[in-house]
mmCIF file of all heavy atoms in Angstrom:
data_model
loop_
_atom_site.group_PDB
_atom_site.id
_atom_site.type_symbol
_atom_site.label_atom_id
_atom_site.label_comp_id
_atom_site.label_asym_id
_atom_site.label_seq_id
_atom_site.Cartn_x
_atom_site.Cartn_y
_atom_site.Cartn_z
ATOM 1 N N ILE J 31 20.755 20.527 31.498
ATOM 2 C CA ILE J 31 20.547 19.104 31.251
ATOM 3 C C ILE J 31 19.071 18.880 30.946
ATOM 4 O O ILE J 31 18.253 19.777 31.155
ATOM 5 C CB ILE J 31 20.963 18.218 32.459
ATOM 6 C CG1 ILE J 31 20.098 18.527 33.682
ATOM 7 C CG2 ILE J 31 22.440 18.353 32.765
ATOM 8 C CD1 ILE J 31 20.255 17.541 34.818
ATOM 9 N N LYS J 32 18.753 17.697 30.467
ATOM 10 C CA LYS J 32 17.350 17.315 30.266
ATOM 11 C C LYS J 32 17.067 16.179 31.234
ATOM 12 O O LYS J 32 17.442 15.032 30.986
ATOM 13 C CB LYS J 32 17.117 16.888 28.827
ATOM 14 C CG LYS J 32 17.260 18.034 27.849
ATOM 15 C CD LYS J 32 16.691 17.667 26.508
ATOM 16 C CE LYS J 32 16.868 18.752 25.514
ATOM 17 N NZ LYS J 32 16.020 19.885 25.683
ATOM 18 N N LEU J 33 16.436 16.507 32.337
ATOM 19 C CA LEU J 33 16.167 15.545 33.398
ATOM 20 C C LEU J 33 15.347 14.364 32.908
ATOM 21 O O LEU J 33 15.558 13.241 33.336
ATOM 22 C CB LEU J 33 15.476 16.242 34.575
ATOM 23 C CG LEU J 33 15.408 15.513 35.897
ATOM 24 C CD1 LEU J 33 16.770 15.024 36.350
ATOM 25 C CD2 LEU J 33 14.798 16.398 36.962
ATOM 26 N N ASP J 34 14.450 14.595 31.977
ATOM 27 C CA ASP J 34 13.612 13.512 31.452
ATOM 28 C C ASP J 34 14.432 12.453 30.711
ATOM 29 O O ASP J 34 13.970 11.332 30.537
ATOM 30 C CB ASP J 34 12.540 14.062 30.515
ATOM 31 C CG ASP J 34 11.475 14.851 31.264
ATOM 32 O OD1 ASP J 34 11.348 14.670 32.488
ATOM 33 O OD2 ASP J 34 10.772 15.643 30.618
ATOM 34 N N ASN J 35 15.624 12.821 30.265
ATOM 35 C CA ASN J 35 16.482 11.873 29.548
ATOM 36 C C ASN J 35 17.301 10.984 30.481
ATOM 37 O O ASN J 35 17.954 10.059 30.016
ATOM 38 C CB ASN J 35 17.454 12.611 28.620
ATOM 39 C CG ASN J 35 16.769 13.225 27.430
ATOM 40 O OD1 ASN J 35 15.614 12.928 27.128
ATOM 41 N ND2 ASN J 35 17.463 14.094 26.738
ATOM 42 N N LEU J 36 17.314 11.290 31.770
ATOM 43 C CA LEU J 36 18.172 10.569 32.713
ATOM 44 C C LEU J 36 17.468 9.380 33.335
ATOM 45 O O LEU J 36 16.350 9.500 33.835
ATOM 46 C CB LEU J 36 18.653 11.510 33.815
ATOM 47 C CG LEU J 36 19.427 12.747 33.374
ATOM 48 C CD1 LEU J 36 19.839 13.563 34.583
ATOM 49 C CD2 LEU J 36 20.624 12.377 32.530
ATOM 50 N N SER J 37 18.140 8.253 33.328
ATOM 51 C CA SER J 37 17.615 7.066 34.000
ATOM 52 C C SER J 37 17.852 7.198 35.500
ATOM 53 O O SER J 37 18.611 8.066 35.947
ATOM 54 C CB SER J 37 18.337 5.815 33.475
ATOM 55 O OG SER J 37 19.689 5.834 33.906
ATOM 56 N N SER J 38 17.246 6.330 36.277
ATOM 57 C CA SER J 38 17.466 6.359 37.729
ATOM 58 C C SER J 38 18.922 6.029 38.053
ATOM 59 O O SER J 38 19.475 6.547 39.019
ATOM 60 C CB SER J 38 16.519 5.394 38.439
ATOM 61 O OG SER J 38 16.764 4.068 38.029
ATOM 62 N N LYS J 39 19.551 5.203 37.235
ATOM 63 C CA LYS J 39 20.973 4.901 37.455
ATOM 64 C C LYS J 39 21.820 6.164 37.278
ATOM 65 O O LYS J 39 22.739 6.424 38.041
ATOM 66 C CB LYS J 39 21.438 3.807 36.505
ATOM 67 C CG LYS J 39 20.931 2.432 36.882
ATOM 68 C CD LYS J 39 21.460 1.391 35.919
ATOM 69 C CE LYS J 39 21.134 -0.015 36.307
ATOM 70 N NZ LYS J 39 19.807 -0.359 36.600
ATOM 71 N N ALA J 40 21.493 6.964 36.269
ATOM 72 C CA ALA J 40 22.228 8.207 36.035
ATOM 73 C C ALA J 40 22.000 9.205 37.166
ATOM 74 O O ALA J 40 22.933 9.883 37.597
ATOM 75 C CB ALA J 40 21.834 8.824 34.696
ATOM 76 N N THR J 41 20.771 9.286 37.671
ATOM 77 C CA THR J 41 20.500 10.241 38.744
ATOM 78 C C THR J 41 21.078 9.777 40.077
ATOM 79 O O THR J 41 21.299 10.590 40.966
ATOM 80 C CB THR J 41 18.992 10.530 38.895
ATOM 81 O OG1 THR J 41 18.292 9.325 39.160
ATOM 82 C CG2 THR J 41 18.439 11.198 37.656
ATOM 83 N N ASN J 42 21.358 8.486 40.219
ATOM 84 C CA ASN J 42 22.008 7.976 41.435
ATOM 85 C C ASN J 42 23.524 8.147 41.388
ATOM 86 O O ASN J 42 24.191 8.089 42.419
ATOM 87 C CB ASN J 42 21.677 6.499 41.640
ATOM 88 C CG ASN J 42 20.273 6.289 42.131
ATOM 89 O OD1 ASN J 42 19.702 7.151 42.785
ATOM 90 N ND2 ASN J 42 19.694 5.154 41.801
ATOM 91 N N LEU J 43 24.075 8.359 40.211
ATOM 92 C CA LEU J 43 25.517 8.438 40.041
ATOM 93 C C LEU J 43 26.194 9.526 40.875
ATOM 94 O O LEU J 43 27.239 9.261 41.484
ATOM 95 C CB LEU J 43 25.845 8.615 38.551
ATOM 96 C CG LEU J 43 27.299 8.517 38.145
ATOM 97 C CD1 LEU J 43 27.917 7.196 38.580
ATOM 98 C CD2 LEU J 43 27.428 8.693 36.643
ATOM 99 N N PRO J 44 25.657 10.752 40.968
ATOM 100 C CA PRO J 44 26.342 11.770 41.772
ATOM 101 C C PRO J 44 26.562 11.344 43.222
ATOM 102 O O PRO J 44 27.670 11.502 43.764
ATOM 103 C CB PRO J 44 25.409 12.981 41.707
ATOM 104 C CG PRO J 44 24.631 12.789 40.460
ATOM 105 C CD PRO J 44 24.472 11.296 40.308
ATOM 106 N N GLY J 45 25.540 10.814 43.837
ATOM 107 C CA GLY J 45 25.682 10.371 45.233
ATOM 108 C C GLY J 45 26.696 9.264 45.391
ATOM 109 O O GLY J 45 27.500 9.268 46.323
ATOM 110 N N LEU J 46 26.684 8.328 44.462
ATOM 111 C CA LEU J 46 27.638 7.218 44.513
ATOM 112 C C LEU J 46 29.067 7.710 44.351
ATOM 113 O O LEU J 46 29.983 7.242 45.044
ATOM 114 C CB LEU J 46 27.305 6.182 43.442
ATOM 115 C CG LEU J 46 25.968 5.473 43.618
ATOM 116 C CD1 LEU J 46 25.649 4.637 42.389
ATOM 117 C CD2 LEU J 46 25.983 4.619 44.862
ATOM 118 N N LEU J 47 29.271 8.659 43.451
ATOM 119 C CA LEU J 47 30.617 9.191 43.248
ATOM 120 C C LEU J 47 31.105 9.986 44.459
ATOM 121 O O LEU J 47 32.282 9.912 44.817
ATOM 122 C CB LEU J 47 30.657 10.053 41.984
ATOM 123 C CG LEU J 47 30.502 9.283 40.681
ATOM 124 C CD1 LEU J 47 30.319 10.246 39.517
ATOM 125 C CD2 LEU J 47 31.679 8.358 40.449
ATOM 126 N N LEU J 48 30.204 10.731 45.078
ATOM 127 C CA LEU J 48 30.588 11.474 46.286
ATOM 128 C C LEU J 48 30.934 10.520 47.424
ATOM 129 O O LEU J 48 31.941 10.712 48.124
ATOM 130 C CB LEU J 48 29.473 12.431 46.710
ATOM 131 C CG LEU J 48 29.184 13.575 45.751
ATOM 132 C CD1 LEU J 48 27.977 14.366 46.210
ATOM 133 C CD2 LEU J 48 30.396 14.470 45.596
ATOM 134 N N ILE J 49 30.133 9.501 47.603
ATOM 135 C CA ILE J 49 30.413 8.502 48.636
ATOM 136 C C ILE J 49 31.749 7.822 48.357
ATOM 137 O O ILE J 49 32.571 7.640 49.258
ATOM 138 C CB ILE J 49 29.278 7.465 48.723
ATOM 139 C CG1 ILE J 49 28.017 8.119 49.294
ATOM 140 C CG2 ILE J 49 29.696 6.254 49.557
ATOM 141 C CD1 ILE J 49 26.766 7.288 49.146
ATOM 142 N N ASN J 50 31.985 7.456 47.096
ATOM 143 C CA ASN J 50 33.244 6.823 46.729
ATOM 144 C C ASN J 50 34.437 7.721 47.052
ATOM 145 O O ASN J 50 35.452 7.253 47.583
ATOM 146 C CB ASN J 50 33.245 6.481 45.235
ATOM 147 C CG ASN J 50 34.528 5.839 44.811
ATOM 148 O OD1 ASN J 50 34.819 4.709 45.189
ATOM 149 N ND2 ASN J 50 35.312 6.544 44.015
ATOM 150 N N GLU J 51 34.324 9.003 46.751
ATOM 151 C CA GLU J 51 35.413 9.943 47.024
ATOM 152 C C GLU J 51 35.696 10.033 48.521
ATOM 153 O O GLU J 51 36.851 10.025 48.949
ATOM 154 C CB GLU J 51 35.069 11.323 46.457
ATOM 155 C CG GLU J 51 36.154 12.349 46.640
ATOM 156 C CD GLU J 51 37.418 12.064 45.845
ATOM 157 O OE1 GLU J 51 37.354 11.349 44.816
ATOM 158 O OE2 GLU J 51 38.493 12.543 46.254
ATOM 159 N N ILE J 52 34.647 10.095 49.306
ATOM 160 C CA ILE J 52 34.818 10.188 50.759
ATOM 161 C C ILE J 52 35.435 8.907 51.316
ATOM 162 O O ILE J 52 36.337 8.953 52.157
ATOM 163 C CB ILE J 52 33.475 10.498 51.447
ATOM 164 C CG1 ILE J 52 33.013 11.914 51.060
ATOM 165 C CG2 ILE J 52 33.576 10.346 52.961
ATOM 166 C CD1 ILE J 52 31.579 12.221 51.405
ATOM 167 N N ILE J 53 34.991 7.776 50.839
ATOM 168 C CA ILE J 53 35.525 6.500 51.327
ATOM 169 C C ILE J 53 36.985 6.324 50.925
ATOM 170 O O ILE J 53 37.808 5.896 51.728
ATOM 171 C CB ILE J 53 34.673 5.319 50.820
ATOM 172 C CG1 ILE J 53 33.316 5.330 51.532
ATOM 173 C CG2 ILE J 53 35.376 3.982 51.032
ATOM 174 C CD1 ILE J 53 32.319 4.335 50.983
ATOM 175 N N THR J 54 37.313 6.661 49.676
ATOM 176 C CA THR J 54 38.673 6.408 49.198
ATOM 177 C C THR J 54 39.687 7.441 49.673
ATOM 178 O O THR J 54 40.847 7.102 49.898
ATOM 179 C CB THR J 54 38.725 6.326 47.653
ATOM 180 O OG1 THR J 54 38.218 7.532 47.100
ATOM 181 C CG2 THR J 54 37.927 5.141 47.154
ATOM 182 N N SER J 55 39.266 8.702 49.829
ATOM 183 C CA SER J 55 40.235 9.719 50.240
ATOM 184 C C SER J 55 40.047 10.198 51.675
ATOM 185 O O SER J 55 40.935 10.815 52.236
ATOM 186 C CB SER J 55 40.178 10.922 49.300
ATOM 187 O OG SER J 55 38.982 11.635 49.487
ATOM 188 N N GLY J 56 38.877 9.941 52.241
ATOM 189 C CA GLY J 56 38.623 10.351 53.613
ATOM 190 C C GLY J 56 37.975 11.715 53.731
ATOM 191 O O GLY J 56 37.580 12.122 54.820
ATOM 192 N N TYR J 57 37.887 12.451 52.637
ATOM 193 C CA TYR J 57 37.277 13.779 52.655
ATOM 194 C C TYR J 57 36.857 14.170 51.239
ATOM 195 O O TYR J 57 37.196 13.501 50.273
ATOM 196 C CB TYR J 57 38.229 14.818 53.235
ATOM 197 C CG TYR J 57 39.604 14.797 52.606
ATOM 198 C CD1 TYR J 57 39.897 15.560 51.491
ATOM 199 C CD2 TYR J 57 40.616 13.997 53.140
ATOM 200 C CE1 TYR J 57 41.145 15.529 50.902
ATOM 201 C CE2 TYR J 57 41.868 13.960 52.566
ATOM 202 C CZ TYR J 57 42.130 14.731 51.436
ATOM 203 O OH TYR J 57 43.369 14.693 50.869
ATOM 204 N N LEU J 58 36.158 15.292 51.149
ATOM 205 C CA LEU J 58 35.650 15.764 49.864
ATOM 206 C C LEU J 58 36.133 17.194 49.663
ATOM 207 O O LEU J 58 35.847 18.070 50.479
ATOM 208 C CB LEU J 58 34.122 15.710 49.875
ATOM 209 C CG LEU J 58 33.382 15.924 48.588
ATOM 210 C CD1 LEU J 58 33.806 14.911 47.534
ATOM 211 C CD2 LEU J 58 31.890 15.808 48.828
ATOM 212 N N THR J 59 36.874 17.428 48.585
ATOM 213 C CA THR J 59 37.388 18.765 48.307
ATOM 214 C C THR J 59 36.609 19.398 47.152
ATOM 215 O O THR J 59 35.944 18.710 46.382
ATOM 216 C CB THR J 59 38.874 18.705 47.914
ATOM 217 O OG1 THR J 59 38.989 17.978 46.681
ATOM 218 C CG2 THR J 59 39.712 18.043 48.994
ATOM 219 N N LYS J 60 36.742 20.717 47.029
ATOM 220 C CA LYS J 60 36.119 21.418 45.904
ATOM 221 C C LYS J 60 36.706 20.926 44.589
ATOM 222 O O LYS J 60 35.993 20.789 43.594
ATOM 223 C CB LYS J 60 36.305 22.926 46.036
ATOM 224 C CG LYS J 60 35.453 23.544 47.114
ATOM 225 C CD LYS J 60 35.617 25.055 47.140
ATOM 226 C CE LYS J 60 34.756 25.652 48.240
ATOM 227 N NZ LYS J 60 34.835 27.113 48.252
ATOM 228 N N ALA J 61 38.003 20.642 44.588
ATOM 229 C CA ALA J 61 38.659 20.139 43.375
ATOM 230 C C ALA J 61 38.086 18.784 42.969
ATOM 231 O O ALA J 61 37.848 18.525 41.785
ATOM 232 C CB ALA J 61 40.165 20.039 43.587
ATOM 233 N N ALA J 62 37.844 17.926 43.946
ATOM 234 C CA ALA J 62 37.270 16.607 43.653
ATOM 235 C C ALA J 62 35.853 16.747 43.122
ATOM 236 O O ALA J 62 35.480 16.061 42.166
ATOM 237 C CB ALA J 62 37.283 15.733 44.906
ATOM 238 N N ILE J 63 35.069 17.638 43.713
ATOM 239 C CA ILE J 63 33.701 17.864 43.239
ATOM 240 C C ILE J 63 33.727 18.395 41.804
ATOM 241 O O ILE J 63 32.978 17.924 40.946
ATOM 242 C CB ILE J 63 32.943 18.831 44.166
ATOM 243 C CG1 ILE J 63 32.734 18.189 45.543
ATOM 244 C CG2 ILE J 63 31.603 19.239 43.552
ATOM 245 C CD1 ILE J 63 32.210 19.136 46.596
ATOM 246 N N SER J 64 34.609 19.343 41.526
ATOM 247 C CA SER J 64 34.724 19.886 40.169
ATOM 248 C C SER J 64 35.098 18.804 39.171
ATOM 249 O O SER J 64 34.536 18.743 38.074
ATOM 250 C CB SER J 64 35.773 21.001 40.128
ATOM 251 O OG SER J 64 35.323 22.110 40.855
ATOM 252 N N GLU J 65 36.037 17.948 39.542
ATOM 253 C CA GLU J 65 36.443 16.867 38.652
ATOM 254 C C GLU J 65 35.291 15.895 38.410
ATOM 255 O O GLU J 65 35.052 15.468 37.277
ATOM 256 C CB GLU J 65 37.642 16.115 39.226
ATOM 257 C CG GLU J 65 38.117 15.001 38.324
ATOM 258 C CD GLU J 65 39.292 14.226 38.895
ATOM 259 O OE1 GLU J 65 39.691 14.487 40.039
ATOM 260 O OE2 GLU J 65 39.780 13.347 38.187
ATOM 261 N N ILE J 66 34.576 15.540 39.468
ATOM 262 C CA ILE J 66 33.436 14.625 39.338
ATOM 263 C C ILE J 66 32.386 15.221 38.403
ATOM 264 O O ILE J 66 31.872 14.549 37.513
ATOM 265 C CB ILE J 66 32.833 14.298 40.726
ATOM 266 C CG1 ILE J 66 33.798 13.399 41.514
ATOM 267 C CG2 ILE J 66 31.462 13.656 40.600
ATOM 268 C CD1 ILE J 66 33.442 13.236 42.983
ATOM 269 N N VAL J 67 32.073 16.491 38.608
ATOM 270 C CA VAL J 67 31.048 17.137 37.779
ATOM 271 C C VAL J 67 31.520 17.294 36.337
ATOM 272 O O VAL J 67 30.834 16.886 35.397
ATOM 273 C CB VAL J 67 30.642 18.511 38.374
ATOM 274 C CG1 VAL J 67 29.770 19.290 37.403
ATOM 275 C CG2 VAL J 67 29.930 18.315 39.701
ATOM 276 N N ASP J 68 32.688 17.873 36.156
ATOM 277 C CA ASP J 68 33.161 18.206 34.806
ATOM 278 C C ASP J 68 33.582 16.994 33.979
ATOM 279 O O ASP J 68 33.291 16.919 32.787
ATOM 280 C CB ASP J 68 34.330 19.186 34.877
ATOM 281 C CG ASP J 68 33.919 20.539 35.461
ATOM 282 O OD1 ASP J 68 32.715 20.843 35.482
ATOM 283 O OD2 ASP J 68 34.819 21.277 35.909
ATOM 284 N N ALA J 69 34.279 16.052 34.611
ATOM 285 C CA ALA J 69 34.846 14.931 33.859
ATOM 286 C C ALA J 69 33.934 13.715 33.774
ATOM 287 O O ALA J 69 34.084 12.899 32.870
ATOM 288 C CB ALA J 69 36.179 14.515 34.482
ATOM 289 N N ILE J 70 32.974 13.608 34.712
ATOM 290 C CA ILE J 70 32.133 12.406 34.732
ATOM 291 C C ILE J 70 30.658 12.733 34.538
ATOM 292 O O ILE J 70 30.021 12.242 33.609
ATOM 293 C CB ILE J 70 32.332 11.618 36.048
ATOM 294 C CG1 ILE J 70 33.799 11.228 36.218
ATOM 295 C CG2 ILE J 70 31.437 10.380 36.084
ATOM 296 C CD1 ILE J 70 34.157 10.683 37.584
ATOM 297 N N LEU J 71 30.113 13.561 35.424
ATOM 298 C CA LEU J 71 28.665 13.759 35.417
ATOM 299 C C LEU J 71 28.148 14.507 34.190
ATOM 300 O O LEU J 71 27.165 14.080 33.582
ATOM 301 C CB LEU J 71 28.218 14.459 36.697
ATOM 302 C CG LEU J 71 28.429 13.647 37.972
ATOM 303 C CD1 LEU J 71 28.023 14.453 39.196
ATOM 304 C CD2 LEU J 71 27.674 12.338 37.915
ATOM 305 N N LEU J 72 28.774 15.621 33.853
ATOM 306 C CA LEU J 72 28.278 16.367 32.682
ATOM 307 C C LEU J 72 28.321 15.528 31.412
ATOM 308 O O LEU J 72 27.317 15.491 30.675
ATOM 309 C CB LEU J 72 29.037 17.680 32.511
ATOM 310 C CG LEU J 72 28.594 18.792 33.464
ATOM 311 C CD1 LEU J 72 29.445 20.044 33.261
ATOM 312 C CD2 LEU J 72 27.122 19.125 33.281
#
Side-chain angles (χ1 to χ4, degrees):
I31 63 169
K32 293 194 182 286
L33 194 52
D34 290 340
N35 289 347
L36 302 181
S37 68
S38 63
K39 286 182 173 52
T41 59
N42 285 332
L43 189 56
L46 295 171
L47 291 170
L48 294 174
I49 291 167
N50 179 69
E51 182 67 24
I52 293 167
I53 289 172
T54 57
S55 70
Y57 51 89
L58 190 58
T59 64
K60 287 184 180 183
I63 294 170
S64 292
E65 181 181 5
I66 289 169
V67 170
D68 295 341
I70 302 169
L71 295 177
L72 282 178

